Amino acid sequence: MMIFGFLVMGILAYRTYTASMPMPDKVVSESGQTLFTGADITRGQELFQSRGLMQYGSILGHGAYLGPDYTAEYLRMATDDVSNQLRAQGVADTHDRLVTEFRTNRYNANTKTLVFTDRQAEAFDHIQNYYATYFGEDSTKYGLKPKFITDKTQIRDLTAFYAWTAWAAAAERPGHKYSYTNNWPAETRVDNGPTAALIVWSGLSLIALLGGIGIMFAVYGRWSQNVGWHSAEASNLSFRQPGEVSLTSAQRACIWIFAVVSVLFLAQTVLGGAVEHYRADLSTFFGLDLARVLPYNLARTWHVQLSLFWTAAAFLAGGIFLVPFIAGREPKRQGLLTYVLLGAVAAVVFGSMICEALSIYGVIPQGGLLSQQWAYLDLPRLWQILLVVGLFVWIAIIWRGMRARLKGESKMNMPWMFFFAGLAIPAFYAVGLLAGSDTHFSVADFWRFWVVHLWVEDFLELFTTVMVAYIFVLLGVVRERIALGVIFLDVILYSAGGVIGTMHHLYFSGTPVEHMALGAFFSAGEVIPLTFLTVEAWAFLQLGARQQSGDAKPFPHRWAVMFLVAVGF
């Protein structure tokens, strides 16, 4: 299933590069005036990222949603402007003329030239003036820094970027009756409405969801003793309490990483409070003009980044902590390497946060190694590269600790499963490097969501499953054969929906319709492994309860298992 999933993703990657909304070399008016170029669009895109506007508003539906969706806003303002021009020319009912003017695709693929009507060109100038006023206002009433963007060239580039996405949202894809964005946004002025494909695949996705859950429970009910957690083959055990277990130097170093995780989690929570307060009151924070120091886009950037940092750090520590139990020994200086990794994590966290602040404030220029990037991959390219290096250093530490144990093991056994699941973490995070700040929006979105979706929702979950399975094997609760069965079943379930289901993020990103179709159908199946994990988490709890019966000592991992149950639900 995983091979099939990535084969399909490879085909979709090819289609993303070859059939997404086109980037023109230049945009001209009917009278021949050059309005802006492809380079202007790219600079506007880079500015949009570096100033944190994707963590304020959104573009093509992707972003923070406090501010406007700039694609939808530009399209609305452009249609209003053109409508006013038509009325001034004596046209009473402008709807049909608007639909024709905006849905007609005037892009020439041979010359890579996009033609705006003269009315659309005039609207572009008017909207450019609007954004100059909006972003240049000496006020924090929008939750942004005062005089946020005042450079006229930057305003022009930013407006060009918005205009390009708005054109793709209305212009019909060649050979079809829907736009490059599958008729998103639902702008009635240009007759953007649900497409037939959207309705059909939405229905099929619901069928896949309900049918898949039914099949999963049928299989589980019939063969749960072969594939699920159970203790039929295990004798009653007396669990050692956590305080009775001696720790290695690397495991003690992990305690500091867990402490850092707690601090990062607390900081994220505090920032989250500020972020949510902005939604209730844009202008003040309990009487303080917070936006002058911590504007919304900076607060949300840090909030999102910290959530990824503490999650990743927790996985790093969890992996290193388990290795000595798996290997039965710990190499020399493993603790020192763990402290080095902790220092590297701290450098990436604080270095990237400082650069993000300087980028949003306009101190760091757009498009460089130190400027902010796409939402969820906000950390500047330099720190992104260093984080990838750090993750591979982590897997090297894991390999170093397990090397002796791996030599005598089959590639299909638990130690190798643990290592392979860990290796997927740096490997799939590194895919995000393909989404540069100057990459075509649709292409960048494709690779960006390999990190946001595949990395977070699939491979981190898979590593969690392997870690939990190994913990129960080490505790003696289940045999390794049972744990391997659960892991392989989870791999199949994740692969069935999670891999191709990544495309549900690209419904309206300017990609071909098959991204929406396959994304809708397969992403519905993502609920199936989550349902399975919930059932299995409950089985964990029951298993622990059975194992402690007759023992005076309590089952020490009850609340850890209850946490898994809560997360599953």
Side-chain angles (χ1 to χ4, degrees), residues 185-393:
E187 178 55 77
T188 57
R189 287 169 172 78
V190 294
D191 281 358
N192 267 4
T195 64
L198 186 150
I199 295 171
V200 168
W201 286 102
S202 294
L204 290 176
S205 68
L206 289 175
I207 294 172
L209 169 62
L210 298 176
I213 291 177
I215 292 171
M216 186 273 293
F217 274 117
V219 172
Y220 184 81
R222 175 64 179 83
W223 289 288
S224 61
Q225 288 300 307
N226 295 323
V227 298
W229 299 106
H230 56 86
S231 58
E233 299 174 339
S235 58
N236 286 335
L237 301 172
S238 177
F239 291 100
R240 296 171 65 187
Q241 299 302 302
E244 300 173 1
V245 180
S246 60
L247 300 179
T248 66
S249 61
Q251 289 173 325
R252 292 185 182 278
C254 286
I255 295 173
W256 289 102
I257 299 180
F258 287 125
V260 170
V261 167
S262 300
V263 172
L264 296 181
F265 179 77
L266 177 62
Q268 187 217 354
T269 304
V270 172
L271 283 167
V275 166
E276 288 308 306
H277 184 86
Y278 268 112
R279 295 188 178 275
D281 184 357
L282 266 176
S283 56
T284 64
F285 183 79
F286 300 107
L288 299 176
D289 195 358
L290 184 63
R292 291 187 179 274
V293 180
L294 186 67
Y296 175 85
N297 49 344
L298 178 57
R300 191 176 190 274
T301 295
W302 282 353
H303 174 71
V304 171
Q305 286 302 288
L306 285 173
S307 69
L308 296 176
F309 283 142
W310 72 254
T311 301
F315 275 97
L316 302 188
I320 293 174
F321 192 88
L322 283 180
V323 165
F325 294 130
I326 296 171
R329 57 181 293 274
E330 181 174 283
K332 292 181 179 179
R333 292 183 289 279
Q334 193 82 334
L336 175 61
L337 290 175
T338 304
Y339 280 115
V340 170
L341 182 64
L342 173 60
V345 169
V348 169
V349 170
F350 295 111
S352 64
M353 290 176 68
I354 291 170
C355 286
E356 285 159 358
L358 294 176
S359 180
I360 287 174
Y361 270 84
V363 177
I364 293 176
Q366 68 202 60
L369 286 175
L370 297 178
S371 61
Q372 187 166 328
Q373 300 189 90
W374 301 100
Y376 298 104
L377 298 179
D378 296 272
L379 69 168
R381 178 53 62 107
L382 173 64
W383 298 108
Q384 185 184 19
I385 293 171
L386 291 177
L387 180 56
V388 170
V389 172
L391 290 173
F392 277 108
V393 169

Side-chain angles (χ1 to χ4, degrees), residues 12-86:
L12 292 175
Y14 172 78
R15 291 286 291 159
T16 301
Y17 278 93
T18 59
S20 292
M21 57 185 188
M23 168 78 80
D25 283 348
K26 62 179 179 178
V27 178
V28 301
S29 66
E30 288 175 315
S31 56
Q33 176 192 1
T34 298
L35 302 175
F36 52 89
T37 66
D40 296 332
I41 295 172
T42 300
R43 284 196 300 271
Q45 175 179 285
E46 291 175 333
L47 182 68
F48 181 74
Q49 298 167 56
S50 67
R51 301 306 297 272
L53 285 171
M54 203 170 189
Q55 294 288 16
Y56 174 72
S58 57
I59 197 80
L60 286 171
H62 292 292
Y65 307 123
L66 178 71
D69 182 273
Y70 294 104
T71 301
E73 183 180 58
Y74 185 99
L75 183 58
R76 171 61 63 90
M77 289 193 295
T79 53
D80 283 348
D81 194 290
V82 171
S83 182
N84 290 335
Q85 293 179 56
L86 288 170

Side-chain angles (χ1 to χ4, degrees), residues 506-533:
L506 274 72
Y507 288 166
F508 316 121
S509 296
T511 50
V513 69
E514 54 263 34
H515 291 64
M516 179 183 70
L518 295 176
F521 185 80
F522 283 94
S523 67
E526 292 180 74
V527 180
I528 299 172
L530 295 178
T531 306
F532 173 74
L533 284 179

